[in-house]
């Protein structure tokens, strides 16, 4: 059969003439070169020329060659249809090969009279049927073994390939004469297989069943992989959690992953694998439960400490404050510290508690300093007032030197009042008055 049909040649030649006419310089030369190449293709026998082979005949000479004309030529350069085949076969009837080829075409109107008179001539068809049948049965068995005795997901992948190959061979079998024509073939070659419609349908059902099994098994493995990723992510999320809310969220995700493991079909290979994963996940979750309990306790204590610390910080705003208020603030800091000290070393929240404990102890120390300063300053002012009152009562009965000594003692007491205390402004007024009085007495 020519590699380029006459119809395709004519389409290509018409387009070559058109392209050559558009090129006034070298168009005629290029035309002869391309036509010569096309003639060569038309004279060759073999498979039909591909689109690339046809394109190579003109692409260098006529780059503007119509793509539409090329596709039309390729379409015309195809094997003939049913009637074309019969006509072509008729031209070959003078040879035995042509006759055999014709009567083995898969059309009942041709095969029927031959099968009744000379079934031996249908030997090529029966051999093809025999081959496809044997391959289909073997591949079905192989696929069945891989699917039903799988040990890994790779077995299902291979089983799927085998099932598709078996389906391909089953599709190649001429179902419309199952159960009759092979009997003639077997009468000559003593074949041991029983090529019946029931067996053919059973093979198709097996392939369909295995395809459904493979889909279910692979889908289960996909589900298992997703659940394992969720489970591992939840564990990591729990380990990295910094707050009670984060740990609670990780716990919910962990439990959700365990629930999803229970939903994987138990009859699948992934389901058997999921049982082992589920057992380990539940064990880890139970172990985590004790840790989680400790974490909850620590979180509660830390939150309680924060509340006391917040109250202390609010009460300490806008100093100065009386000693009683500083005592109350110090007590609040101490309550916060006491809560944090209840968290043991082995508790997951210990490190967080220690960080806050250090800060709260520092704040308590500052509060205690302010408290002592308030107490000492109030005491110093009170003593200065007492000395001043005594001095005023006895100023006339004492000698001037003793009065100046008493006044200096009063000034020393007033100077010991610390800035930032509630009594400091009052003490400064008394101090100013005492120093003025001291200056007057020293002049006299």
């Amino acid at each position: 059969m020519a590699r380029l049909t006459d119809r395709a040649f004519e389409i290509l030649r018409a387009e070559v003439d058109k392209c050559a006419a558009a090129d006034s310089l070298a168009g005629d030369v290029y035309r002869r070169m391309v036509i010569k190449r096309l003639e060569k293709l038309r004279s060759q026998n073999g498979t039909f020329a591909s689109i690339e082979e046809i394109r190579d005949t003109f692409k260098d000479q006529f780059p503007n060659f119509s793509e539409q004309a090329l596709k039309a030529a390729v379409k015309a350069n195809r094997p003939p249809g049913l009637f074309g085949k019969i006509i072509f076969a008729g031209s070959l009837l003078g040879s035995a090969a042509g006759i055999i080829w014709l009567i083995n075409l898969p059309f009942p109107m041709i095969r029927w009279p031959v099968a009744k008179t000379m079934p031996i001539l249908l030997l090529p068809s029966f051999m093809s049927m025999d081959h496809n049948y044997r391959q289909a049965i073997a591949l079905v068995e192989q696929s069945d073994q891989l699917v039903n005795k799988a040990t890994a997901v790779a077995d299902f992948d291979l089983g799927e390939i085998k099932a598709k190959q078996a389906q391909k061979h089953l599709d190649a079998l001429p179902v419309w004469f199952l159960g009759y024509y092979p009997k003639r073939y077997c009468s000559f070659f003593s074949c041991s297989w029983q090529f019946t419609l029931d067996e053919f349908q059973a093979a198709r059902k097996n392939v369909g069943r295995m395809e459904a099994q493979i889909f279910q098994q692979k889908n289960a493995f996909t589900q298992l992989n997703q659940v394992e990723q969720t489970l591992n992510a939840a564990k990591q999320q729990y380990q990295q959690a910094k707050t009670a809310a984060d740990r609670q969220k990780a716990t919910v995700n962990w439990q959700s992953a365990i629930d999803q493991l229970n939903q994987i079909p138990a009859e699948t290979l992934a389901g058997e694998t999921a049982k082992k994963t589920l057992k380990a996940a539940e064990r880890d979750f139970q172990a985590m439960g004790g840790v989680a309990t400790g974490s909850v306790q620590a979180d509660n204590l830390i939150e309680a400490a924060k509340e006391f610390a917040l109250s202390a910080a609010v009460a300490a705003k806008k100093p100065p404050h009386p000693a009683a208020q500083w005592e109350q603030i110090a007590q609040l800091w101490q309550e916060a510290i006491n809560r944090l000290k209840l968290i043991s070393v082995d508790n997951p929240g210990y490190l967080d508690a220690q960080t806050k404990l250090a800060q709260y102890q520092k704040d308590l120390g500052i509060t205690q300093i302010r408290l002592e300063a308030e107490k000492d300053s109030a005491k110093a002012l009170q003593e200065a007032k007492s000395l001043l009152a005594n001095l005023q009562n006895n100023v006339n009965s004492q000698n001037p030197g003793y009065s100046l000594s008493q006044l200096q003692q009063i000034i020393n007491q007033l100077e010991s009042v610390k800035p930032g205390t509630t009594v400091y402004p009052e003490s400064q007024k008394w101090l100013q008055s005492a120093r003025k009085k001291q200056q007057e007495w020293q002049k006299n």
Side-chain angles (χ1 to χ4, degrees), residues 193-213:
W193 46 276
Q194 296 296 318
F195 194 43
T196 65
L197 182 60
D198 290 340
E199 190 174 12
F200 174 81
Q201 291 177 340
R204 278 196 177 278
K205 289 180 181 179
N206 283 338
V207 172
R209 174 182 55 80
M210 283 184 291
E211 287 178 344
Q213 282 184 268

mmCIF file of all heavy atoms in Angstrom, residues 193-213:
data_model
loop_
_atom_site.group_PDB
_atom_site.id
_atom_site.type_symbol
_atom_site.label_atom_id
_atom_site.label_comp_id
_atom_site.label_asym_id
_atom_site.label_seq_id
_atom_site.Cartn_x
_atom_site.Cartn_y
_atom_site.Cartn_z
ATOM 1 N N TRP A 193 -9.384 -25.304 26.649
ATOM 2 C CA TRP A 193 -10.207 -24.291 27.289
ATOM 3 C C TRP A 193 -11.615 -24.288 26.732
ATOM 4 O O TRP A 193 -11.850 -24.667 25.595
ATOM 5 C CB TRP A 193 -9.575 -22.909 27.126
ATOM 6 C CG TRP A 193 -9.089 -22.602 25.743
ATOM 7 C CD1 TRP A 193 -7.903 -22.932 25.197
ATOM 8 C CD2 TRP A 193 -9.817 -21.909 24.733
ATOM 9 N NE1 TRP A 193 -7.827 -22.487 23.912
ATOM 10 C CE2 TRP A 193 -8.976 -21.849 23.598
ATOM 11 C CE3 TRP A 193 -11.088 -21.329 24.654
ATOM 12 C CZ2 TRP A 193 -9.361 -21.236 22.419
ATOM 13 C CZ3 TRP A 193 -11.468 -20.715 23.482
ATOM 14 C CH2 TRP A 193 -10.600 -20.668 22.378
ATOM 15 N N GLN A 194 -12.526 -23.848 27.531
ATOM 16 C CA GLN A 194 -13.931 -23.782 27.128
ATOM 17 C C GLN A 194 -14.303 -22.309 26.934
ATOM 18 O O GLN A 194 -14.478 -21.562 27.873
ATOM 19 C CB GLN A 194 -14.827 -24.408 28.220
ATOM 20 C CG GLN A 194 -14.571 -25.880 28.432
ATOM 21 C CD GLN A 194 -14.915 -26.681 27.184
ATOM 22 O OE1 GLN A 194 -15.924 -26.436 26.523
ATOM 23 N NE2 GLN A 194 -14.069 -27.655 26.863
ATOM 24 N N PHE A 195 -14.372 -21.925 25.697
ATOM 25 C CA PHE A 195 -14.579 -20.529 25.354
ATOM 26 C C PHE A 195 -16.070 -20.276 25.215
ATOM 27 O O PHE A 195 -16.632 -20.363 24.121
ATOM 28 C CB PHE A 195 -13.838 -20.238 24.048
ATOM 29 C CG PHE A 195 -13.699 -18.776 23.759
ATOM 30 C CD1 PHE A 195 -13.362 -17.875 24.753
ATOM 31 C CD2 PHE A 195 -13.873 -18.304 22.477
ATOM 32 C CE1 PHE A 195 -13.205 -16.536 24.473
ATOM 33 C CE2 PHE A 195 -13.719 -16.960 22.179
ATOM 34 C CZ PHE A 195 -13.381 -16.071 23.187
ATOM 35 N N THR A 196 -16.737 -19.969 26.339
ATOM 36 C CA THR A 196 -18.183 -19.797 26.334
ATOM 37 C C THR A 196 -18.539 -18.370 26.755
ATOM 38 O O THR A 196 -17.743 -17.652 27.367
ATOM 39 C CB THR A 196 -18.854 -20.784 27.298
ATOM 40 O OG1 THR A 196 -18.430 -20.463 28.636
ATOM 41 C CG2 THR A 196 -18.466 -22.209 26.979
ATOM 42 N N LEU A 197 -19.747 -18.025 26.442
ATOM 43 C CA LEU A 197 -20.220 -16.695 26.812
ATOM 44 C C LEU A 197 -20.277 -16.538 28.324
ATOM 45 O O LEU A 197 -19.940 -15.472 28.869
ATOM 46 C CB LEU A 197 -21.609 -16.462 26.208
ATOM 47 C CG LEU A 197 -22.230 -15.074 26.463
ATOM 48 C CD1 LEU A 197 -21.354 -13.988 25.896
ATOM 49 C CD2 LEU A 197 -23.642 -15.020 25.881
ATOM 50 N N ASP A 198 -20.663 -17.588 29.029
ATOM 51 C CA ASP A 198 -20.720 -17.520 30.493
ATOM 52 C C ASP A 198 -19.341 -17.255 31.090
ATOM 53 O O ASP A 198 -19.191 -16.463 32.022
ATOM 54 C CB ASP A 198 -21.285 -18.828 31.061
ATOM 55 C CG ASP A 198 -22.763 -18.984 30.743
ATOM 56 O OD1 ASP A 198 -23.406 -17.952 30.434
ATOM 57 O OD2 ASP A 198 -23.264 -20.121 30.796
ATOM 58 N N GLU A 199 -18.345 -17.956 30.530
ATOM 59 C CA GLU A 199 -16.984 -17.772 31.040
ATOM 60 C C GLU A 199 -16.485 -16.362 30.728
ATOM 61 O O GLU A 199 -15.812 -15.728 31.546
ATOM 62 C CB GLU A 199 -16.057 -18.814 30.413
ATOM 63 C CG GLU A 199 -14.682 -18.861 31.073
ATOM 64 C CD GLU A 199 -13.831 -19.993 30.535
ATOM 65 O OE1 GLU A 199 -14.214 -20.585 29.519
ATOM 66 O OE2 GLU A 199 -12.784 -20.259 31.131
ATOM 67 N N PHE A 200 -16.807 -15.905 29.550
ATOM 68 C CA PHE A 200 -16.405 -14.555 29.158
ATOM 69 C C PHE A 200 -17.030 -13.511 30.097
ATOM 70 O O PHE A 200 -16.357 -12.592 30.574
ATOM 71 C CB PHE A 200 -16.837 -14.306 27.716
ATOM 72 C CG PHE A 200 -16.597 -12.902 27.248
ATOM 73 C CD1 PHE A 200 -15.340 -12.513 26.823
ATOM 74 C CD2 PHE A 200 -17.645 -11.981 27.220
ATOM 75 C CE1 PHE A 200 -15.115 -11.213 26.376
ATOM 76 C CE2 PHE A 200 -17.422 -10.683 26.783
ATOM 77 C CZ PHE A 200 -16.165 -10.304 26.359
ATOM 78 N N GLN A 201 -18.317 -13.692 30.369
ATOM 79 C CA GLN A 201 -18.995 -12.752 31.260
ATOM 80 C C GLN A 201 -18.451 -12.838 32.681
ATOM 81 O O GLN A 201 -18.340 -11.838 33.385
ATOM 82 C CB GLN A 201 -20.498 -13.013 31.248
ATOM 83 C CG GLN A 201 -21.160 -12.651 29.927
ATOM 84 C CD GLN A 201 -22.635 -12.992 29.900
ATOM 85 O OE1 GLN A 201 -23.113 -13.809 30.696
ATOM 86 N NE2 GLN A 201 -23.377 -12.367 28.976
ATOM 87 N N ALA A 202 -18.101 -14.078 33.102
ATOM 88 C CA ALA A 202 -17.525 -14.245 34.437
ATOM 89 C C ALA A 202 -16.187 -13.516 34.547
ATOM 90 O O ALA A 202 -15.883 -12.887 35.569
ATOM 91 C CB ALA A 202 -17.350 -15.728 34.744
ATOM 92 N N ALA A 203 -15.379 -13.608 33.479
ATOM 93 C CA ALA A 203 -14.088 -12.905 33.479
ATOM 94 C C ALA A 203 -14.296 -11.397 33.562
ATOM 95 O O ALA A 203 -13.585 -10.695 34.286
ATOM 96 C CB ALA A 203 -13.297 -13.267 32.228
ATOM 97 N N ARG A 204 -15.279 -10.895 32.804
ATOM 98 C CA ARG A 204 -15.562 -9.464 32.866
ATOM 99 C C ARG A 204 -16.021 -9.049 34.262
ATOM 100 O O ARG A 204 -15.648 -7.987 34.766
ATOM 101 C CB ARG A 204 -16.643 -9.106 31.843
ATOM 102 C CG ARG A 204 -16.113 -8.924 30.427
ATOM 103 C CD ARG A 204 -17.147 -8.214 29.581
ATOM 104 N NE ARG A 204 -16.669 -7.947 28.244
ATOM 105 C CZ ARG A 204 -15.900 -6.923 27.901
ATOM 106 N NH1 ARG A 204 -15.510 -6.077 28.848
ATOM 107 N NH2 ARG A 204 -15.514 -6.725 26.661
ATOM 108 N N LYS A 205 -16.840 -9.873 34.885
ATOM 109 C CA LYS A 205 -17.310 -9.565 36.240
ATOM 110 C C LYS A 205 -16.148 -9.553 37.225
ATOM 111 O O LYS A 205 -16.088 -8.708 38.123
ATOM 112 C CB LYS A 205 -18.363 -10.580 36.680
ATOM 113 C CG LYS A 205 -19.695 -10.430 35.960
ATOM 114 C CD LYS A 205 -20.697 -11.466 36.447
ATOM 115 C CE LYS A 205 -22.021 -11.321 35.718
ATOM 116 N NZ LYS A 205 -23.012 -12.348 36.153
ATOM 117 N N ASN A 206 -15.230 -10.513 37.045
ATOM 118 C CA ASN A 206 -14.058 -10.540 37.928
ATOM 119 C C ASN A 206 -13.228 -9.273 37.782
ATOM 120 O O ASN A 206 -12.752 -8.707 38.764
ATOM 121 C CB ASN A 206 -13.189 -11.765 37.624
ATOM 122 C CG ASN A 206 -13.762 -13.037 38.197
ATOM 123 O OD1 ASN A 206 -14.559 -12.986 39.134
ATOM 124 N ND2 ASN A 206 -13.385 -14.175 37.636
ATOM 125 N N VAL A 207 -13.037 -8.838 36.539
ATOM 126 C CA VAL A 207 -12.274 -7.611 36.310
ATOM 127 C C VAL A 207 -12.991 -6.417 36.942
ATOM 128 O O VAL A 207 -12.371 -5.582 37.610
ATOM 129 C CB VAL A 207 -12.055 -7.373 34.800
ATOM 130 C CG1 VAL A 207 -11.443 -5.994 34.565
ATOM 131 C CG2 VAL A 207 -11.156 -8.451 34.216
ATOM 132 N N GLY A 208 -14.294 -6.336 36.752
ATOM 133 C CA GLY A 208 -15.060 -5.242 37.344
ATOM 134 C C GLY A 208 -15.008 -5.265 38.861
ATOM 135 O O GLY A 208 -14.867 -4.224 39.511
ATOM 136 N N ARG A 209 -15.105 -6.504 39.421
ATOM 137 C CA ARG A 209 -15.037 -6.630 40.883
ATOM 138 C C ARG A 209 -13.681 -6.182 41.412
ATOM 139 O O ARG A 209 -13.590 -5.459 42.409
ATOM 140 C CB ARG A 209 -15.299 -8.082 41.274
ATOM 141 C CG ARG A 209 -15.103 -8.375 42.766
ATOM 142 C CD ARG A 209 -15.333 -9.843 43.063
ATOM 143 N NE ARG A 209 -14.504 -10.710 42.238
ATOM 144 C CZ ARG A 209 -13.216 -10.957 42.495
ATOM 145 N NH1 ARG A 209 -12.627 -10.380 43.539
ATOM 146 N NH2 ARG A 209 -12.520 -11.759 41.714
ATOM 147 N N MET A 210 -12.614 -6.593 40.721
ATOM 148 C CA MET A 210 -11.276 -6.223 41.166
ATOM 149 C C MET A 210 -11.022 -4.727 41.023
ATOM 150 O O MET A 210 -10.361 -4.116 41.863
ATOM 151 C CB MET A 210 -10.228 -7.022 40.388
ATOM 152 C CG MET A 210 -10.112 -8.457 40.880
ATOM 153 S SD MET A 210 -8.823 -9.369 40.053
ATOM 154 C CE MET A 210 -9.494 -9.511 38.409
ATOM 155 N N GLU A 211 -11.558 -4.145 39.972
ATOM 156 C CA GLU A 211 -11.408 -2.693 39.823
ATOM 157 C C GLU A 211 -12.083 -1.967 40.978
ATOM 158 O O GLU A 211 -11.555 -0.965 41.492
ATOM 159 C CB GLU A 211 -12.001 -2.241 38.491
ATOM 160 C CG GLU A 211 -11.151 -2.637 37.288
ATOM 161 C CD GLU A 211 -11.792 -2.226 35.970
ATOM 162 O OE1 GLU A 211 -13.009 -1.928 35.978
ATOM 163 O OE2 GLU A 211 -11.084 -2.212 34.940
ATOM 164 N N ALA A 212 -13.263 -2.475 41.401
ATOM 165 C CA ALA A 212 -13.947 -1.871 42.551
ATOM 166 C C ALA A 212 -13.144 -2.080 43.833
ATOM 167 O O ALA A 212 -13.021 -1.173 44.664
ATOM 168 C CB ALA A 212 -15.349 -2.471 42.694
ATOM 169 N N GLN A 213 -12.586 -3.305 43.993
ATOM 170 C CA GLN A 213 -11.764 -3.585 45.167
ATOM 171 C C GLN A 213 -10.536 -2.677 45.210
ATOM 172 O O GLN A 213 -10.183 -2.134 46.260
ATOM 173 C CB GLN A 213 -11.310 -5.048 45.161
ATOM 174 C CG GLN A 213 -12.362 -6.042 45.607
ATOM 175 C CD GLN A 213 -11.805 -7.447 45.656
ATOM 176 O OE1 GLN A 213 -11.886 -8.198 44.686
ATOM 177 N NE2 GLN A 213 -11.217 -7.786 46.778
#
